Amino acid sequence: MSLAKLPPNAKVAVLGAGISGLSFTYFLHKLRPDVQFHIFEKSPRSGGWINSSHLHVKSTNEQIILEKGPRTLRGVKDGTVIMIDILRNLNKEREIEIMTNDSIANRKYVMNAQQQLIQIPNSFMSLVKFLKGMKLMNGRLLIGILREPFVPVLQEDESIEGFFTRRFGSSLWIDNLGSAVIHGIYASDVAKLSVMSTLPVLKEIERESGSIVRHMLKSLFGQVKKKKNEERAKVVSDELTQYERLISPDGNMNGLLTKLKGIPMIKLHNGLEELPRAMTNYLANEKNIKIHYNSPIKEIDPISGKVNGESFDHIRSTINTHALSNALPSNNPLRANLSSIEYVNIFLCNIYSKKKIIPSAGFGFLVPKFGNISLNPQAHLGTIYDSDIEKNVISLFGERNQQGQQEGYDKITIMLGGHYYSNWEIPSKSINLQIIYEILKSKLRIDLQKFNIKIIDETMTIDTIDENDLIISYNYHNSCIPVYGVGYLDTKAKVIQTIEDNRYKLSFGGTVFADGVAVPDCVSNAFKDSMKLM
């Protein structure tokens, strides 16, 4: 998307003070210190979906971190490297903690239809056990694999499930395994998500090689195209090169990439919210930046650049597209496309105990779709073992103790809903709590009769936590992740075309019409668009 350069001393409105709005403001402020910024946030806090809440225990004055949204960064993307550099520049490098590949907390599991946890394989023997435990091979699929090289190429978009069924004659892999991975990223249905939007590499392979199996065989025998090898050999991307040149000349992106090589996961010691919190403090102290809390967007005119009656040279929207649509003039052509974007809702439950409740050490487990709703009537998406992660990380820059917290406690997060709620009436809180109890008993094998269950209210305070207490804190996240369904790319193209044809003073960040739903994707998009406006 092309964006018009900002005039000198321009005014920019940023809608939303989540990580997307904050990082966009941070980058553009660095590039154009003459620009005035007004950030409009509907809630009384910044950070958006990143919310590292602290449960205050009065008797001990302890603060227990309960992550209510994203909590870790998986893998190393350009946006991840940029985030770490920002933390360094804001004197928060001591917060950065990493997990090593051989850590027990790097073990990941998938639950099979018999409610057994099967570890993601890391050796040939574990692969055999995994395939057997997840029932990922049968005669029909085997025949499908043999026939796959002869399946015609389809240029049009399709669902993830449709892609695998068409090419392999079976949805077994995607129902019993792939859907679990998708639950952990998008909380959406593989039968609805666009393969071009979420797994574009599969369509690229199909177009270039004509076959997934044929491409894999070529890769095994070292016949991958030269340009792919050149891309892998490239140490620092163009994006990071530009970032270092324009934002962080002393950042040494090459050195930082080398330090992060092979790191499977990154977290922050006091919760992921430390990053938006540090960015907020930095921005709030700049004289040409003002953050307006409790300020929902009531009116927006992308032609004149007006937001809630005030004129701006550019408007950066990172808010829910339905809220933006409602604020537009009634005759604006964007309204229909913005309203058509679907979102999923998630019920998130944090659980804390001083006793052992985690069944197998690791990162946690995901629950597949199984191709049959009767096999997952609880709408269970997955469970994260927060305490195992916290206890098995080390400081990236060696400024904390080598190991994380070592207290005797277990902490997990259970996620329900997602695409399942799209076809149901969303269960009440009391019903969802009953589902949580069922999951604790049936899937984590916890005898709840041995515990005194305490439900935490919104004050996030508790007098004391005893040895037999089981602490539960929960939240509904309404419209928290967009659905990149089949047709989403057409909607995105129409929105961009409308903006460019009408020369709107508007651009999009966040998880919709940007680069993806992950936090690093949002940060990358913010940096790239800030360069276009400079």
Side-chain angles (χ1 to χ4, degrees):
M1 179 179 179
S2 59
L3 299 175
K5 304 290 184 183
L6 293 173
N9 303 310
K11 281 179 64 180
V12 172
V14 179
L15 314 186
I19 189 64
S20 297
L22 294 173
S23 55
F24 175 80
T25 306
Y26 178 88
F27 296 134
L28 189 53
H29 171 64
K30 292 282 188 181
L31 297 170
R32 288 287 303 272
D34 62 305
V35 172
Q36 297 180 52
F37 294 90
H38 288 262
I39 304 175
F40 296 91
E41 171 53 48
K42 68 177 181 179
S43 75
R45 58 174 287 274
S46 62
W49 293 116
I50 301 177
N51 183 354
S52 306
S53 294
H54 287 69
L55 172 62
H56 177 60
V57 185
K58 294 180 181 179
S59 61
T60 60
N61 204 30
E62 184 182 4
Q63 300 285 342
I64 299 171
I65 300 171
L66 300 179
E67 292 281 15
K68 299 295 184 179
R71 77 247 358 250
T72 60
L73 307 174
R74 300 289 296 179
V76 181
K77 298 182 177 182
D78 285 352
T80 311
V81 180
I82 291 173
M83 291 167 69
I84 288 180
D85 187 66
I86 293 173
L87 285 162
R88 291 193 304 186
N89 291 332
L90 297 178
N91 298 315
K92 291 290 183 178
E93 63 270 17
R94 294 181 72 248
E95 286 288 325
I96 306 167
E97 297 173 332
I98 59 172
M99 180 187 295
T100 58
N101 265 316
D102 58 356
S103 170
I104 61 169
N106 195 34
R107 298 173 187 169
K108 296 173 281 290
Y109 302 87
V110 179
M111 180 159 281
N112 66 13
Q114 290 71 46
Q115 297 192 350
Q116 299 169 321
L117 294 184
I118 311 297
Q119 185 178 342
I120 298 293
N122 54 13
S123 66
F124 178 76
M125 290 306 296
S126 61
L127 174 61
V128 173
K129 184 177 180 181
F130 182 76
L131 292 173
K132 182 179 179 181
M134 296 304 300
K135 292 182 169 54
L136 293 178
M137 192 60 68
N138 60 21
R140 181 182 176 186
L141 180 58
L142 185 59
I143 293 172
I145 293 171
L146 295 174
R147 290 178 175 175
E148 194 274 342
F150 307 100
V151 174
V153 173
L154 179 67
Q155 298 294 337
E156 292 80 14
D157 196 9
E158 58 193 317
S159 70
I160 299 173
E161 185 177 88
F163 176 87
F164 278 87
T165 302
R166 177 176 60 83
R167 293 220 60 88
F168 297 97
S170 170
S171 62
L172 184 65
W173 283 350
I174 203 68
D175 284 341
N176 287 8
L177 177 60
S179 60
V181 178
I182 294 301
H183 280 167
I185 301 171
Y186 298 98
S188 285
D189 188 356
V190 289
K192 192 168 188 176
L193 283 181
S194 154
V195 70
M196 282 187 177
S197 301
T198 57
L199 296 170
V201 66
L202 292 178
K203 293 295 278 191
E204 291 172 12
I205 290 172
E206 181 184 33
R207 288 167 182 163
E208 293 178 5
S209 300
S211 162
I212 304 299
V213 171
R214 193 181 302 137
H215 177 84
M216 292 175 66
L217 291 173
K218 286 180 180 179
S219 300
L220 286 173
F221 290 102
Q223 297 176 20
V224 181
K225 288 188 175 181
K226 184 179 179 182
K227 67 176 183 178
K228 297 292 184 182
N229 287 329
E230 290 174 349
E231 288 174 2
R232 292 191 188 100
K234 199 171 187 180
V235 178
V236 179
S237 67
D238 292 339
E239 180 182 339
L240 291 181
T241 300
Q242 288 283 74
Y243 171 80
E244 182 172 337
R245 181 176 68 85
L246 297 171
I247 304 287
S248 185
D250 299 322
N252 185 12
M253 294 297 104
N254 189 32
L256 189 52
L257 270 174
T258 301
K259 194 174 184 69
L260 293 172
K261 186 177 180 180
I263 298 300
M265 195 210 75
I266 300 167
K267 69 175 288 290
L268 302 185
H269 186 76
N270 286 303
L272 197 58
E273 194 181 347
E274 277 297 295
L275 175 58
R277 190 180 295 124
M279 295 178 79
T280 299
N281 292 338
Y282 168 80
L283 296 173
N285 286 318
E286 296 297 299
K287 62 182 180 180
N288 56 341
I289 300 174
K290 186 171 182 180
I291 304 176
H292 306 268
Y293 292 108
N294 301 306
S295 299
I297 304 304
K298 299 178 180 177
E299 295 178 329
I300 174 176
D301 184 347
I303 298 176
S304 65
K306 285 189 175 181
V307 175
N308 291 351
E310 186 174 356
S311 295
F312 295 89
D313 295 290
H314 187 79
I315 303 167
R316 178 69 168 186
S317 177
T318 68
I319 63 175
N320 179 287
T321 57
H322 299 175
L324 181 64
S325 174
N326 292 335
L328 287 167
S330 58
N331 62 346
N332 190 279
L334 283 178
R335 289 190 63 146
N337 285 319
L338 294 179
S339 298
S340 71
I341 298 297
E342 294 183 48
Y343 291 82
V344 294
N345 308 305
I346 292 176
F347 182 82
L348 184 146
C349 186
N350 304 101
I351 299 168
Y352 178 92
S353 170
K354 289 188 175 181
K355 287 185 175 180
K356 179 84 177 159
I357 59 173
I358 294 176
S360 304
F363 181 82
F365 66 90
L366 296 170
V367 184
K369 174 185 175 182
F370 298 122
N372 188 337
I373 185 63
S374 65
L375 295 176
N376 191 5
Q378 300 157 329
H380 187 191
L381 301 173
T383 297
I384 300 172
Y385 301 162
D386 298 295
S387 52
D388 274 6
I389 298 168
E390 292 172 355
K391 295 173 185 178
N392 292 281
V393 289
I394 59 175
S395 172
L396 177 61
F397 295 106
E399 296 187 13
R400 285 191 184 275
N401 293 333
Q402 280 298 97
Q403 293 297 323
Q405 302 179 46
Q406 295 297 317
E407 296 87 353
Y409 72 99
D410 268 3
K411 186 199 308 182
I412 64 174
T413 301
I414 297 175
M415 295 160 292
L416 308 179
H419 66 93
Y420 293 102
Y421 287 171
S422 301
N423 302 314
W424 302 352
E425 180 178 344
I426 298 178
S428 66
K429 292 178 181 178
S430 60
I431 290 176
N432 264 336
L433 280 175
Q434 288 302 315
I435 292 174
I436 293 294
Y437 299 155
E438 290 174 14
I439 290 172
L440 291 173
K441 289 186 289 186
S442 64
K443 295 181 178 178
L444 282 88
R445 310 288 192 263
I446 297 173
D447 184 357
L448 293 183
Q449 292 183 344
K450 295 181 179 180
F451 289 91
N452 174 34
I453 297 175
K454 293 182 177 179
I455 308 296
I456 303 301
D457 60 23
E458 294 180 356
T459 63
M460 291 297 289
T461 59
I462 189 170
D463 291 331
T464 185
I465 299 178
D466 296 324
E467 193 71 21
N468 293 325
D469 289 343
L470 191 71
I471 309 302
I472 294 181
S473 173
Y474 60 85
N475 300 80
Y476 266 123
H477 292 322
N478 295 314
S479 300
C480 56
I481 304 176
V483 178
Y484 294 166
V486 176
Y488 161 78
L489 289 176
D490 291 335
T491 301
K492 180 178 180 179
K494 289 176 185 176
V495 168
I496 292 173
Q497 194 63 51
T498 300
I499 290 174
E500 293 183 343
D501 289 348
N502 294 280
R503 297 183 179 180
Y504 286 166
K505 299 176 179 179
L506 176 67
S507 66
F508 287 95
T511 55
V512 182
F513 307 137
D515 295 335
V517 299
V519 174
D521 296 329
C522 296
V523 173
S524 282
N525 175 256
F527 173 62
K528 286 184 283 190
D529 278 3
S530 66
M531 285 194 295
K532 295 176 184 177
L533 288 166
M534 67 179 286

